[in-house]
Amino acid sequence: SEDFDTIRDAIFSVLECRPGERIMRPRFGSPDFVFDAVQHPQAVISRIQTALEEQIPDVEFVVSGEIKDDGTFNVQINWIVEQMPQAPIQFMLQSENSR
């Protein structure tokens, strides 16, 4: 269980960190433009999935999302460790236009 919690924390680290923030790992994180591209959901999904796969290689990820009527973009990250599905991670993004 602790190992899965560590991986879950690593997923959040990838999502919250921007490349260049970690001196010893300059490519670690998700670029800012991922979250600025809410009007292009497939681009957001693809960039999040790529960042996670590159930086947490021993985990299977399936990232999905949908734009709601109010302009928010709901993202869900399904992840599997050692053939054991874990609880999905869900979050919401808003574009500047939907605020």
Side-chain angles (χ1 to χ4, degrees):
S1 173
E2 287 181 21
D3 291 338
F4 299 137
D5 291 338
T6 301
I7 294 170
R8 186 178 193 81
D9 291 344
I11 293 169
F12 282 108
S13 290
V14 169
L15 295 172
E16 294 171 351
C17 186
R18 300 296 164 255
E21 282 185 32
R22 296 188 177 182
I23 295 171
M24 300 303 286
R25 295 181 70 187
R27 294 190 51 190
F28 184 85
S30 298
D32 283 332
F33 63 87
V34 166
F35 303 104
D36 293 337
V38 173
Q39 289 87 357
H40 308 286
Q42 285 308 116
V44 173
I45 290 168
S46 176
R47 291 172 183 159
I48 290 172
Q49 179 137 355
T50 298
L52 291 170
E53 288 172 345
E54 287 177 354
Q55 295 166 58
I56 310 173
D58 296 332
V59 178
E60 293 179 47
F61 294 101
V62 176
V63 181
S64 59
E66 65 179 334
I67 296 178
K68 298 290 187 179
D69 291 338
D70 63 0
T72 59
F73 181 51
N74 293 338
V75 177
Q76 179 167 314
I77 300 171
N78 292 297
W79 53 295
I80 300 172
V81 180
E82 299 173 359
Q83 300 179 345
M84 295 178 64
Q86 302 300 308
I89 296 171
Q90 298 177 344
F91 58 95
M92 180 180 60
L93 302 172
Q94 282 187 305
S95 69
E96 291 294 322
N97 298 336
S98 65
R99 291 184 185 164

